[in-house]
Amino acid sequence: MLAAGPVRGDAPPDALAKARAALAKGDGIAAEVPLRLALQRGLAADAARAALGEALLLQGNRREAREVLYAGDFAPESAARGWQMRGRLEMAESRLVEAGQAFDQSYRLNRNDASLWTDIGRLRFIGGEHAQAIEASERAVKLGPNDPRALELRGLLIREQFGLQSALPWFEAGLRIAPNDPGLLGEYAATLGDLGQYRAMLIVCRKLAKVDPGNARVLYLQSVLAARAGQTTLARKILLQAGGALRDMPAAIMLNGILEYRAGNTNLAVEHFDRLVRLQPDNLQARMMLVRALRSRKLDAEAVQAAGVWPNLELAPPYLLQITGESLRAQGRKAEAAAMAERAEMDGQKPSEFLPAGQPLGVLAIGYNDAPNLASNAVPYIRALIEAGDDGTAIAVADRLKLANPGAAEAWLLAGDARLIANDALGALDQYGRAALIRFNLPTLQRIDHAMRLLDRDADANSVVARYLRQNPGSPQALKLLSNGRAAVGNMAGAERIEAALAARGLRNPS
């Protein structure tokens, strides 16, 4: 794939310059052409390896990129970039350890490259090292204040850390520098949509479609916009235009399921929701939609099976309890149905933080003991300990994970979960608050809200939810929390206003 031809002495001297200029514009095809020609005319393979590998990655051709990037060494002047491209390839294929090793090698050769720090930030975020990802993104922006990718990553992490509203200036800053950048346009449009600024989102989507006609995300965002406006037929039509481009995108699978359910195609809806639950077993929203769809088809045994152990969890969402209870009642299991109905009537929107472990405790213990500081081993083990009621061990294991991964918000949340189960709401709140400094997203908000209300700090909880809503005004879950919170302090008029707004948007159920 990367063999130089006979040296004819007429290899284009500007081939690498042309390729690098095309790569800077994100055009992998335009970069590949001069490189292939130069190789045919005698350019050394090692000199072209990094640039050609990058060009192939831009085209999504990971198989050939791997053949090129690992077929030999890199020329000294391109070695840092070559190792970086190996890291990008490994990260794209979810080999995070190998990606980190490649980025480390690139860092040894060039410590002050903004694009490398952007890649490092993305890797850290994917690996759950949220605080370290933030640090990397800050360094990337400092080194490359006009680098669109660095500004895009900073915006994404700001969105996770502080909320939608705070992220907008970062995307806008990037678009002032690169007004036709597809990545920035896509994130800007998505953020505007989540903020409820639909007209602005549509304008950005149209521009994205113009500068990148094949961008499937445009169709997804336009379909979301139509779905939010209640135009189910139009939303389905738009999404179908994407073909298979969005087949493995979880949000698109969920949208497909919702649209088919709305259109009365319950069988298709079940297929979409079931596939998403298999891909993401901890996606509670998808699981609730699957149970709902099965219940609507009167497949009550299947609905109860799909609900699994989730309704048995202490903090299962009321809507899941309600629909699972309906299926139990339809099967004649009246006592179980009554118990679930009673639990569903409990006030408050409760977070579903205690996820089932999925494997026997003994099996998880073996894996944990092999590598106790590895989150992928520790997290399910902690969940299993919480399920088993072993509070003391769960806290100890969670604290060890937290010390080993202080930048991982998930580690702090689990440490809080273990304390909450042990009836230490104040200790749990402290852990949740530390997680919020790293990543203040909806699961973190739900935990803080629940812990504060257990401590009879309803007014404080309402203030935290209101702060979250200032950044994320379109969040139905947060609006429901605030509605219940206002009712808890006797502000029934305020609660009723929120309920009316939620009902107008068709968002009162599922919760």
Side-chain angles (χ1 to χ4, degrees):
M1 285 293 177
L2 191 58
V7 178
R8 291 165 39 187
D10 58 349
D14 61 345
L16 285 172
K18 286 182 179 178
R20 287 169 183 149
L23 291 172
K25 296 177 183 177
D27 191 338
I29 295 175
E32 183 181 4
V33 171
L35 290 171
R36 294 292 190 189
L37 180 60
L39 286 165
Q40 291 173 8
R41 294 181 177 178
L43 179 67
D46 289 356
R49 193 177 311 285
L52 184 55
E54 183 173 357
L56 292 166
L57 283 174
L58 283 172
Q59 296 173 58
N61 188 349
R62 296 202 296 264
R63 181 189 60 78
E64 194 169 344
R66 180 172 292 280
E67 292 178 6
V68 167
L69 290 169
Y70 284 94
D73 296 325
F74 304 106
E77 63 273 12
S78 64
R81 190 68 174 177
W83 280 102
Q84 185 182 349
M85 291 308 107
R86 286 185 182 178
R88 280 189 189 174
L89 171 63
E90 302 298 356
M91 182 164 60
E93 297 190 344
S94 301
R95 286 189 275 267
L96 304 188
V97 173
E98 291 83 353
Q101 291 169 346
F103 289 148
D104 285 346
Q105 186 62 31
S106 181
Y107 171 77
R108 293 186 190 100
L109 298 169
N110 184 4
R111 300 187 173 204
N112 296 314
D113 183 86
S115 69
L116 174 61
W117 279 103
T118 300
D119 286 339
I120 291 171
R122 290 185 184 278
L123 177 66
R124 288 175 174 176
F125 184 77
I126 292 170
E129 297 177 330
H130 302 129
Q132 293 91 332
I134 292 167
E135 292 172 4
S137 73
E138 290 172 344
R139 183 156 185 181
V141 169
K142 184 177 180 180
L143 290 169
N146 295 325
D147 186 322
R149 297 284 72 75
L151 292 167
E152 179 189 355
L153 177 64
R154 193 75 189 104
L156 290 170
L157 294 181
I158 287 289
R159 191 166 68 189
E160 289 286 331
Q161 189 178 13
F162 298 113
L164 299 166
Q165 199 71 49
S166 294
L168 285 181
W170 290 94
F171 299 135
E172 289 165 353
L175 288 168
R176 283 194 293 272
I177 295 162
N180 295 325
D181 184 86
L184 285 165
L185 287 168
E187 295 301 343
Y188 190 42
T191 305
L192 288 168
D194 288 341
L195 281 166
Q197 299 181 28
Y198 301 130
R199 289 185 180 179
M201 171 189 167
L202 186 57
I203 291 170
V204 179
C205 277
R206 285 171 177 163
K207 179 166 185 178
L208 179 55
K210 183 178 180 180
V211 301
D212 190 12
N215 193 313
R217 192 173 188 185
V218 175
L219 296 172
Y220 167 72
L221 291 172
Q222 289 176 333
S223 181
V224 169
L225 189 59
R228 285 172 173 166
Q231 300 181 43
T232 301
T233 301
L234 176 60
R236 290 176 69 222
K237 182 180 178 181
I238 293 171
L239 204 56
L240 282 172
Q241 294 175 28
L246 299 173
R247 186 180 184 280
D248 296 323
M249 178 181 175
I253 299 171
M254 174 68 103
L255 179 59
N256 256 317
I258 291 170
L259 293 174
E260 295 298 347
Y261 185 86
R262 283 188 189 175
N265 302 320
T266 318
N267 287 348
L268 290 175
V270 166
E271 289 180 13
H272 288 300
F273 295 138
D274 182 64
R275 180 164 173 260
L276 184 52
V277 167
R278 292 177 188 279
L279 287 172
Q280 299 181 333
D282 291 346
N283 187 332
L284 186 55
Q285 194 71 19
R287 191 174 294 275
M288 284 195 289
M289 293 302 297
L290 175 59
V291 174
R292 182 187 186 191
L294 290 167
R295 169 73 186 118
S296 71
R297 290 179 56 197
K298 301 189 184 306
L299 296 172
D300 294 298
E302 290 85 348
V304 173
Q305 183 179 8
V309 300
W310 292 76
N312 300 326
L313 302 181
E314 181 183 353
L315 298 179
Y319 186 69
L320 178 62
L321 296 172
Q322 176 189 324
I323 53 179
T324 306
E326 290 172 1
S327 287
L328 288 168
R329 189 179 305 280
Q331 291 181 278
R333 298 162 64 178
K334 295 182 180 180
E336 294 171 81
M340 284 206 181
E342 183 179 350
R343 289 174 60 203
E345 287 297 317
M346 293 172 61
D347 292 335
Q349 294 295 321
K350 297 179 178 180
S352 55
E353 60 258 39
F354 306 113
L355 306 179
Q359 293 185 52
L361 179 60
V363 173
L364 294 169
I366 293 171
Y368 170 75
N369 289 327
D370 286 342
N373 293 334
L374 193 62
S376 59
N377 288 340
V379 170
Y381 183 48
I382 295 167
R383 290 175 180 170
L385 289 167
I386 289 173
E387 284 184 72
D390 190 348
D391 307 338
T393 306
I395 291 172
V397 173
D399 285 349
R400 177 171 180 172
L401 177 66
K402 179 183 66 180
L403 290 172
N405 303 274
E410 174 78 359
W412 292 94
L413 292 179
L414 280 169
D417 291 349
R419 284 166 170 79
L420 197 64
I421 284 291
N423 297 315
D424 180 10
L426 188 61
L429 181 59
D430 175 66
Q431 304 297 303
Y432 296 153
R434 293 171 187 270
L437 294 174
I438 301 169
R439 194 180 188 191
F440 189 34
N441 57 7
L442 182 63
T444 306
L445 170 69
Q446 290 175 313
R447 287 166 162 84
I448 291 173
D449 179 85
H450 184 61
M452 282 186 166
R453 297 195 192 284
L454 287 175
L455 293 165
D456 295 323
R457 293 172 56 180
D458 292 303
D460 291 337
N462 290 348
S463 296
V464 173
V465 177
R467 178 162 66 88
Y468 181 87
L469 281 166
R470 282 194 289 273
Q471 287 290 331
N472 306 277
S475 170
Q477 296 92 338
L479 285 168
K480 293 171 189 177
L481 284 175
L482 188 57
S483 170
N484 291 317
R486 286 182 173 175
V489 296
N491 182 0
M492 300 308 300
E496 287 169 4
R497 284 195 296 272
I498 296 174
E499 290 297 321
L502 287 166
R505 293 167 59 188
L507 291 171
R508 200 57 195 96
N509 271 319
S511 59

